[in-house]
């Protein structure tokens, strides 16, 4: 594990040299799981490398200027899976079925997405990543499918390994996502209990599970390339060519962005929604100190003993 982190540090040091040779440098958002280490699951790293990209962890930092400078060296950004998102960002209070949230990461991911969008970088959001994208652009989530979604024909939070496909996703014909996977129906893994509810303005739903739950959204135009998927293609990368296609297409798209240097055009103003810290939390919790993962504010209430 130590060698793995050293290799990522070396990769980031070589970004300017190797990136100039044409390989896309892909930033992967920090999971900040324990509040001490910057890390991402190995599967994300291997998927990016397998597609010909150079993976670099984007560490959780509280300096937008430094973050913007960092992103100027990148060609694309992947937002990783993780905890539930604070529902206050989309105007709701937590229900009892909500899980843990990562307060510093919520704030950081929203800032990172804002800067990445302003720089025109291709973005791929996975699991929590699709939810982040939808919230940032003004959409909302089902806080818990079992409590808020009536159709129970598909089990979305399976206890099986992520390397096992568990249900089908119907792909919308004519979408960019359809051209990537090349099928009308794909098999995906499933490890989530939240999902996109109200779709953000400007985004198209391009994949649904057979029970109607949104599994993929996209916003693709001359200035924006954003794809979000609810499943985990990185976990199926080694065994499913259609999952590999997602990373291959993304890395290829990112590498083509090199032909448009960031310095050649001014940063665009991107209107994202609800980027202010939620009012129900103490603002002090959002200061990115060494350890600041405080979940007590939205823990589900304990069931009373009968």
């Amino acid at each position: 594990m130590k060698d793995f982190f050293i290799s990522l540090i070396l990769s980031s040091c070589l970004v300017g040299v190797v990136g100039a040779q044409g390989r896309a440098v892909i930033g992967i958002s920090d999971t900040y799981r324990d509040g001490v280490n910057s890390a991402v699951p190995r599967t994300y790293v291997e998927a990016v490398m397998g597609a010909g990209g150079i993976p670099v962890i984007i560490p959780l930092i509280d300096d937008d200027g430094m973050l913007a400078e960092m992103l100027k060296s990148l060609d694309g950004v992947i937002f990783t899976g993780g905890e539930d998102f604070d529902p206050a960002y989309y105007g709701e209070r937590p229900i009892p079925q909500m899980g843990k949230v990562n307060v510093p990461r919520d704030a950081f991911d929203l800032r990172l997405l804002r800067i990445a969008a302003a720089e025109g970088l291709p973005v791929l959001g996975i699991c929590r990543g699709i939810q982040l994208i939808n919230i940032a652009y003004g959409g909302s989530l089902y806080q818990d499918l079992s409590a808020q979604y009536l159709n129970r024909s598909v089990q979305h939070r399976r206890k099986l390994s992520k390397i096992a496909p568990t249900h089908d996703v119907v792909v919308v014909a004519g979408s960019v996502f359809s051209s990537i996977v090349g099928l009308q129906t794909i098999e995906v893994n499933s490890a989530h209990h939240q999902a996109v509810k109200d779709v953000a303005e400007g985004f198209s739903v391009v994949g649904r599970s057979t029970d109607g739950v949104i599994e993929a959204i996209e916003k693709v135009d001359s200035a924006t390339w954003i794809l979000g998927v609810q499943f985990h293609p990185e976990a199926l990368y080694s065994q499913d060519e259609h999952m590999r296609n997602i990373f291959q297409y993304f890395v290829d798209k990112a590498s083509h962005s090199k032909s448009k240097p960031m310095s050649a055009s001014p940063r665009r103003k991107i209107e994202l929604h609800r980027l202010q810290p939620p009012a129900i939390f103490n603002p002090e919790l959002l200061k990115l100190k060494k350890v600041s993962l405080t979940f007590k504010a939205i823990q589900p209430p304990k069931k009373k003993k009968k």
Side-chain angles (χ1 to χ4, degrees), residues 59-236:
L60 189 151
I61 56 176
D62 190 20
D63 186 324
D64 282 7
M66 185 179 294
L67 197 58
E69 287 299 315
M70 190 183 304
L71 263 61
K72 288 180 181 178
S73 298
L74 303 180
D75 302 298
V77 176
I78 295 176
F79 287 92
T80 55
E83 304 89 346
D84 290 357
F85 223 98
D86 177 7
Y89 278 108
Y90 49 94
E92 296 183 11
R93 288 189 171 276
I95 63 174
Q97 293 80 3
M98 267 282 297
K100 292 180 179 180
V101 301
N102 187 326
V103 176
R105 187 184 178 191
D106 283 356
F108 171 73
D109 279 351
L110 286 165
R111 288 166 39 230
L112 177 59
L113 178 56
R114 172 175 53 81
I115 297 171
E119 293 289 355
L121 293 176
V123 169
L124 173 61
I126 294 174
C127 197
R128 169 188 160 97
I130 186 178
Q131 298 167 10
L132 158 72
I133 291 166
N134 193 56
I135 292 170
Y137 281 85
S140 65
L141 305 179
Y142 289 106
Q143 293 187 41
D144 181 78
L145 288 172
S146 64
Q148 297 179 317
Y149 196 75
L150 297 179
N151 191 331
R152 309 290 177 81
S153 60
V154 174
Q155 179 61 44
H156 289 273
R157 198 171 200 176
R158 303 293 292 271
K159 294 182 179 180
L160 299 174
S161 169
K162 289 180 183 178
I163 64 172
T166 58
H167 67 78
D168 291 343
V169 167
V170 179
V171 181
V172 175
S175 63
V176 172
F177 183 54
S178 173
S179 68
I180 294 173
V181 297
L183 293 175
Q184 293 180 335
T185 303
I186 57 174
E187 288 185 303
V188 304
N189 49 17
S190 194
H192 64 101
H193 78 115
Q194 297 192 311
V196 171
K197 182 170 63 175
D198 299 311
V199 182
E201 184 177 352
F203 281 79
S204 300
V205 176
V206 293
R208 292 181 184 268
S209 52
T210 54
D211 61 355
V213 168
I214 295 172
E215 294 276 347
I217 60 174
E218 67 183 34
K219 179 180 175 64
V220 179
D221 53 40
S222 60
T224 307
W225 198 97
I226 300 176
L227 172 66
V229 296
Q230 186 59 73
F231 48 92
H232 283 270
E234 81 287 353
L236 297 173

Side-chain angles (χ1 to χ4, degrees), residues 32 34-37 104 285 287-294:
Y32 200 64
D34 58 7
V36 178
N37 298 301
L285 296 181
K287 291 183 179 180
L288 309 182
K289 297 179 180 179
K290 185 176 181 181
V291 180
S292 53
L293 297 183
T294 304

Side-chain angles (χ1 to χ4, degrees), residues 44-64:
Y44 289 94
V45 173
E46 292 177 344
V48 170
M49 292 192 299
I54 301 171
V56 178
I57 291 178
I58 305 174
L60 189 151
I61 56 176
D62 190 20
D63 186 324
D64 282 7

